Amino acid sequence: MVPQSIGEQPLRTFEFVVERDSDAELSVGYVPGWPDARTQGSDIEELQENLGEVIEMLLEDGEPVLESEFIDVRTIQAA
């Protein structure tokens, strides 16, 4: 079972984007609209752990003010 809170504080949920940096051979992740919420890792597990730590540190400074809201990822075809 996944914990729903830590102590008295409920867990927050954020969507994040994962990209592969082929030059550095790293996974890069960021929370759309939150420029400071970004990091990297050697694989998706390390990336997710690192991003969780970054978000926790940022939340210590208060509620984030997101510059935009993540909506969706879509696929389009073109010739």
Side-chain angles (χ1 to χ4, degrees):
M1 175 178 262
V2 177
Q4 297 301 309
S5 65
I6 299 176
E8 296 295 317
Q9 189 168 353
L11 288 179
R12 304 281 306 271
T13 301
F14 297 93
E15 303 288 337
F16 69 99
V17 175
V18 178
E19 298 177 344
R20 184 77 179 156
D21 182 333
S22 57
D23 292 335
E25 297 184 4
L26 294 170
S27 295
V28 178
Y30 61 93
V31 176
W34 195 358
D36 294 333
R38 64 182 315 111
T39 192
Q40 61 192 28
S42 59
D43 55 36
I44 189 69
E45 290 80 18
E46 182 180 25
L47 167 64
Q48 190 161 344
E49 182 178 326
N50 292 346
L51 189 56
E53 292 173 4
V54 168
I55 290 170
E56 287 174 2
M57 287 189 303
L58 291 169
L59 287 173
E60 289 176 2
D61 293 335
E63 186 68 23
V65 178
L66 301 180
E67 294 178 352
S68 62
E69 177 186 359
F70 178 77
I71 302 292
D72 194 6
V73 174
R74 300 283 178 119
T75 301
I76 190 168
Q77 294 180 331

